[in-house]
Structures are given as C-alpha cells and as structure tokens.
Amino acid sequence: MGVVIAVDAMGGDGAPEDVVAGVRMAVEDGSLAVLLVGDPAVLKPLVAHQPGIEIVPAATVVPQTADPAEAIRSDPRCSIAVAAQAVRSGAADGLVSAGHSGATLAAVTLIIGRQRGVSRPALAAVLPGALRPTVLIDAGANLDSTPEQLHAQARLGTAFALELLGIEQPTCGLLTIGEESGKGDLRTKAAHALLLADATLAYRGSVEGRDLLTSKVDVIVSDGFAGNIALKATEGAAREAFRRLREQVTGAPATLAGLQLHTALGRVRADLDPDTYGGAHLLGAEAVAIIAHGEARPHGIAQACRYAAAGVRLGLPARLAARTAVGSP
Amino acid sequence: MGVVIAVDAMGGDGAPEDVVAGVRMAVEDGSLAVLLVGDPAVLKPLVAHQPGIEIVPAATVVPQTADPAEAIRSDPRCSIAVAAQAVRSGAADGLVSAGHSGATLAAVTLIIGRQRGVSRPALAAVLPGALRPTVLIDAGANLDSTPEQLHAQARLGTAFALELLGIEQPTCGLLTIGEESGKGDLRTKAAHALLLADATLAYRGSVEGRDLLTSKVDVIVSDGFAGNIALKATEGAAREAFRRLREQVTGAPATLAGLQLHTALGRVRADLDPDTYGGAHLLGAEAVAIIAHGEARPHGIAQACRYAAAGVRLGLPARLAARTAVGSP
C-alpha cells in the first residue's frame, strides 16, 4: 500500500492553483497518493483526472482572521478540518496544509490528537546549518508557551534530529539574548532550569539569534513567537544580502565575473532556500502533519508532500512518542 | 566648550585594550573629549598621556552574572556607575558602554534618570534598510515589556527617526508573526490596540522578521527579547551568507571574476556592518547614553563615541522629551 497524504487545497497564498500544481508534481512518480480537500467545482478542472489524486469535498475555508480553535469547533466542514478527519479515520496517513497555521494546529490538536504527555504540538523547522541541518522548534505554531512546553519541545526536537535527520546525540540550546546561560525573560529563565535538570538532553545552554545557521547546536528551542521572528529574520536577511549583491553586479557590464557571481549566488541561495523541505513538521501529534509555507509555490508544495510521505514511511510519530515518553532515556 | 563623553573602560569583550584604542581614535581630531572610567593602574599605560582623555578611577566592575539593578545599588564604585555619575554631575555630556547591557540600563535609569512619562529607557538600533535607515526599538535592553512600554517605544522611536535620522513623518510597525494586524502573543495584541488608537503615530500594523532590512516601515517596535533575537538573526544570516559565498569563490582560481566578487561582497558587507554606528542609543534617558556592541573592536568604540557626541550636539534627549511628552502632537 502506498502512502496517502491529505492536502488542504484551499489554504495558502497561491491556493488552490499552486497547491494543485504542486500536488500534481508530487504524485507524478507514483510514490505517494493525495486526497485533495476542497471545493470540487474549483478543483476538478485543475486536477484533470490525474491518477493518484482523489478530490474530497469540503464546503468552506477557515478565514485568515478567525480564531483558529473556535473556527474548527464551529465548522467541521471546513477544508482543514475535513483533511484532519481523513487522517483521523485512516483514509490518509499524513496531512499537508499551507493555510492558516493556527487553524492547522487547532485541527491537528482537536481532530488528529496529541501524543501522550504533549500539551501542544510544536513546529520543527529544519535550517541549513554550516555543518549539518539544524532544528528550530517552535518555529511559529504556539505563542505564549510555558517553560514546561519549551522543555517538551527540547525532547521532541532532539528525538526528531536523531530519527529523521540521523544526527547522533543531538545537542540543544535555548534561544535567548546574551551568551550567559539563564539570561533572558522570565519564561526563558524558568525553561533554562528545566532543561538543565533533564539528563536525557545534551543541553548546551543559551544560543543567540546569530546562531541559527552556525551549527553551534543541533536543536534550537524557542517559543513560537521569538522562533518565528528569528526564522523570518534569517530568511529575510539572506534574501536582502543576495538582492543587494545582485544589484552591484547587474550595474556592471555583462562580464565573466558577473556570470560567475550569479552562479555562486545561485548555489548559496539554493542552499539557504526555505523551500528545500517545503514546510515544517508539527511534532507531538498522533500522525504526520506538515505546515507548508503560506507563500509556497508548486515546487514547495510538492516538497512538503514528499516530506510528509517520508515521515509516514519512517513511522515518525510513534518513534518520537517512544523516545520522549516520560521516563524514557 | 567641546563635548565630553564618559566611557566605561572596563566593559566589553575587548576591555580595556580595545576600548582604550577606540577612545584614542575618537579623540584624535579634537572634536570630543573622553572621561575614561576604570582602574588607573591598568588604563594609564594604555592611554600614554594622549590629550583629550582623562582617567576617572573606579574600583570595581559589574560581573556579567550579576543582577544589574542590584549590582548598581550595592556597588556605586563600579565603573559603569561612576561613568553615569559623571554624566549626572555634569562632568560629562553623554555615556558610552560596551559592558553588561543590563547594568548600563540600570545605571542610566537609577543614576542619570529617565525622561518624564518613560518607565523604561529602550535601545534604538539603526539598521541599513533598503531605502533608508530603519529604527528597531527595543533592540535588547528590556525584557518582559508591557504593552504600555511598547507604546512609549513607538513614540520614542518615531521622534528619534525624525530628529536624528531626518526622516519626515516616520511610519512604524509592530514586530510580530503573520501579516494580519493584531496577530501575535497576548502582549502584542494589547500593544496593537494602543498603537492603533494613537493618532500621533503613522502606524502601519504588523511587520515580520523578514522586514528588518526592507524599509517596509521606518520604525519597528518590539519587546527587547524578540527585538534582540531579530537583530542578531539578521546580522548572523548576512554574515553566514557572505561566508558561504566567499567559500564558493575561494575554491575557484584567482580570477578577475573572483576579485570583482570580493569587491562587491566587501561593499555590501560594509553596508550591512553593525559597527556603522558602533552601538545604539538608549532612548528615554535624561542624557545621551550609547550601548556599544559587547564585541566591538576599536573602530566600533570610536564610532560609538562619535555617535554619542552627535546626539549631545543635537540636544537629542530634550528634543525627544518635547516630542513624546503626553499631550504633544
């Protein structure tokens, strides 16, 4: 049996056209199938009978301005809720959504369910560190996290780095300001004490915003607010640095130097491209769930579907649950 | 009468050698004088009778691990407290410190004093935006800020952009996650309502981490925790992008292309260099106070002294107080 991914066709800046185009790319080689959830009248002409894609009707879409949990509770026919129900019922093995991330988190939490001992699933972004990939958890799903939730994230992120990225004995650090350990706001100080006391973690103390790409630690633990800001600042600065460099070279005549710079830029850009994975795993749920970038293009959506399928094949949720259960080493 | 800046010689990663070297550069053209605060036995050989520098003895240094306010209260003979007292007494016109930023904030608040209506001075970093300089306030002085403090920062940052940077009708935005206005953690939502209700501000709603260098708004308002993380992530990502590009080109033979790329890289690097200003103004204090980068090299310290002197000549604290007083337009 092949892997089946439920995709919310109605979520994301380019929905539904870009989502459908990405899904068509993802199913092309037959390695996975997709349940495409949304309005059939809109989706049918876009899908055009491509094998591997089945349309599942959903009557509504969660508006960007809605309170996420409230929206899911009051409207079980919205596309993200129907997609989550497909995973819950076993019709699909995993979920991909480029829509409202709060609504996706709510649908996963309320419909798919959480692994034992996890009060809030957290978003694990994988960054291109200098030496190896780096996990940033939480990258934006939860705001107002508690120190206990940050502790749970450290365990989930460590297990993820080991199981999915193959990093042995992953080290972790707490995102804060200043290098001295324990420096930061009240929440960070309390979380620092919890991480320090957990002998199952290879906790290295504080890391700063500048350490996101330096491989100082393998897992960077943060609340979703600061984590998302750090992630976006990193992406934005790299993009802006490249833009300004390109401007310098475009001003010059079309020389060999210009050509070589474009090649080098292209290579490093690809390396730092947020669409490498297409999205981020929501860890701590009972099934694989990927939040894709809201601005994902078809290529990013296809990557997100493949990334979800890889997590399903690995049995990621069960592996994380086994590693992070209370009392496990 | 020339401008006199009190400099904490004992603070910063390269103290006292780099601080003294920077101060020597700053006084060279005679445009400002420095009171160099610290241990005379250490400082005298480094200063070597250079005109424009007077050593002011201080017995101790605030340790990096101390509780800042407690340290200032219990040890008025530490270098940062003595430097602040020099400003308070009128012996100096402004303050520069590359040391413990919490201790500098505490010394400024407790000894120099705050402008009326400001409960906490805030750090205003100036970033190289795409179109013009951008102010980020607070860049790391205050953690656990209240919505009311964020509102005061918006007013201070707007006045600073106008008075020091010469930006007419500066726009401001609130650093948060997601583009929809009012999205974010509880504090951000409350601050959003306050900014929206203040007709003296050109408030443009939410900005994200990726907007630090794009000139989307002129003043980015943030609590010091997320602000510092965003600032460091921006600096770190630009640095890492350049490092990787340089690696690509170093691998190639020494060609004209390589040389031209190095030139372009150098230009954009200089543009994004955090030492352009050498530090950041602590706004809302009764005198000019600059927190220099902890890792500032001599060039950065010299820039910080010149930046402080420029603020003194402009009469910045009085101008900000006039513009941000309650009831002022």
Side-chain angles (χ1 to χ4, degrees), chain B residues 90-176:
Chain B
D93 305 299
L95 176 77
V96 167
S97 168
H100 193 307
S101 60
T104 306
L105 174 65
V108 167
T109 305
L110 297 171
I111 298 169
I112 296 181
R114 294 158 298 168
Q115 113 189 17
R116 232 180 132 98
V118 171
S119 66
R120 299 274 201 97
L123 200 57
V126 180
L127 300 170
L131 303 177
R132 52 181 170 269
T134 302
V135 179
L136 174 69
I137 181 170
D138 180 9
N142 295 292
L143 312 177
D144 305 306
S145 306
T146 63
E148 289 72 25
Q149 284 164 0
L150 291 173
H151 182 201
Q153 287 167 211
R155 295 187 66 129
L156 283 169
T158 297
F160 177 79
L162 183 69
E163 295 287 355
L164 194 116
L165 301 177
I167 298 171
E168 287 183 39
Q169 300 191 298
T171 58
C172 69
L174 189 59
L175 185 63
T176 183

Side-chain angles (χ1 to χ4, degrees), chain A residues 196-294:
Chain A
L196 209 56
D198 185 342
T200 70
L201 296 172
Y203 178 52
R204 296 286 179 267
S206 297
V207 296
E208 293 188 78
R210 63 180 170 200
D211 297 317
L212 260 73
L213 300 177
T214 60
S215 290
K216 187 175 177 186
V217 296
D218 300 311
V219 179
I220 297 176
V221 180
S222 170
D223 71 283
F225 188 76
N228 184 272
I229 286 174
L231 180 66
K232 294 281 179 69
T234 298
E235 289 174 8
R239 190 183 305 167
E240 185 64 19
F242 293 142
R243 193 190 63 75
R244 292 186 192 186
L245 270 171
R246 217 173 267 277
E247 223 173 53
Q248 289 273 332
V249 180
T250 311
T255 58
L256 183 64
L259 195 69
Q260 292 192 349
L261 174 56
H262 278 297
T263 309
L265 266 174
R267 234 175 258 150
V268 179
R269 260 186 103 130
D271 187 26
L272 293 175
D273 183 1
D275 267 353
T276 304
Y277 295 90
H281 273 277
L282 204 48
L283 301 186
E286 284 198 348
V288 167
I290 302 278
I291 293 185
H293 296 283

